[in-house]
Amino acid sequence: MHLAYPAVLAALLFCTGLYGVLARRNAILVLMSVELMLNAVNLNLVAFDVWLRDTLHSGQALTLFTIAIAAAEIGIGLAIVLAVYRNRGTSDIDRLRDTAESDTAEPADAESDDTAGTAGTANTATAGSTTNAGHTKNAEATS
């Protein structure tokens, strides 16, 4: 058997999985697409192991490790998706971005006092450029 047949099939599987990861919004479908990509890698490992006629069968051994890692990934991934679904009511990936912590600092005033002059605007620009919320509030309090 030629090596091209399983290599082309693995490439098609991997591209299908990659499209699923990039285009899907449902977390379970994304996990299934990752599984397709891992199965494409497993197919390549076994095909090259047979083609090279390795006496240690390293490709098959690596395939067993990949299957074990994929099973653990699906178990943990489904547990996370179920927990998020119970808390949020959806498994939509775009809505999961709302779970990230946001900066709670108040925005700097756009209007500067006439008495402060250029020093007030310099402090406001410095306060807006800091990334830590605590430092931003302290800089606003001193200006």
Side-chain angles (χ1 to χ4, degrees):
M1 182 167 85
H2 295 286
L3 183 62
Y5 297 133
V8 168
L9 180 62
L12 289 173
L13 276 175
F14 192 85
C15 289
T16 304
L18 185 64
Y19 173 74
V21 167
L22 295 176
R24 299 293 177 187
R25 294 182 183 210
N26 190 351
I28 294 175
L29 292 177
V30 170
L31 288 174
M32 289 174 60
S33 298
V34 169
E35 285 296 317
L36 273 177
M37 293 167 62
L38 287 173
N39 284 330
V41 170
N42 289 340
L43 183 60
N44 269 333
L45 285 171
V46 171
F48 277 97
D49 183 50
V50 170
W51 185 63
L52 293 174
R53 300 179 192 268
D54 188 18
T55 57
L56 295 176
H57 299 292
S58 326
Q60 293 178 16
L62 285 174
T63 299
L64 289 175
F65 284 120
T66 307
I67 289 171
I69 289 171
E73 175 254 335
I74 281 295
I76 292 171
L78 283 177
I80 291 171
V81 168
L82 286 174
V84 167
Y85 182 77
R86 286 182 185 168
N87 290 334
R88 293 276 182 177
T90 184
S91 62
D92 189 10
I93 292 178
D94 291 336
R95 293 192 182 182
L96 293 181
R97 293 181 187 162
D98 297 337
T99 60
E101 292 183 22
S102 61
D103 191 19
T104 58
E106 298 173 5
D109 285 338
E111 300 174 13
S112 62
D113 295 336
D114 292 333
T115 58
T118 58
T121 57
N123 286 337
T124 305
T126 306
S129 65
T130 57
T131 57
N132 193 349
H135 293 290
T136 305
K137 288 182 181 179
N138 289 338
E140 286 177 1
T142 57
S143 61

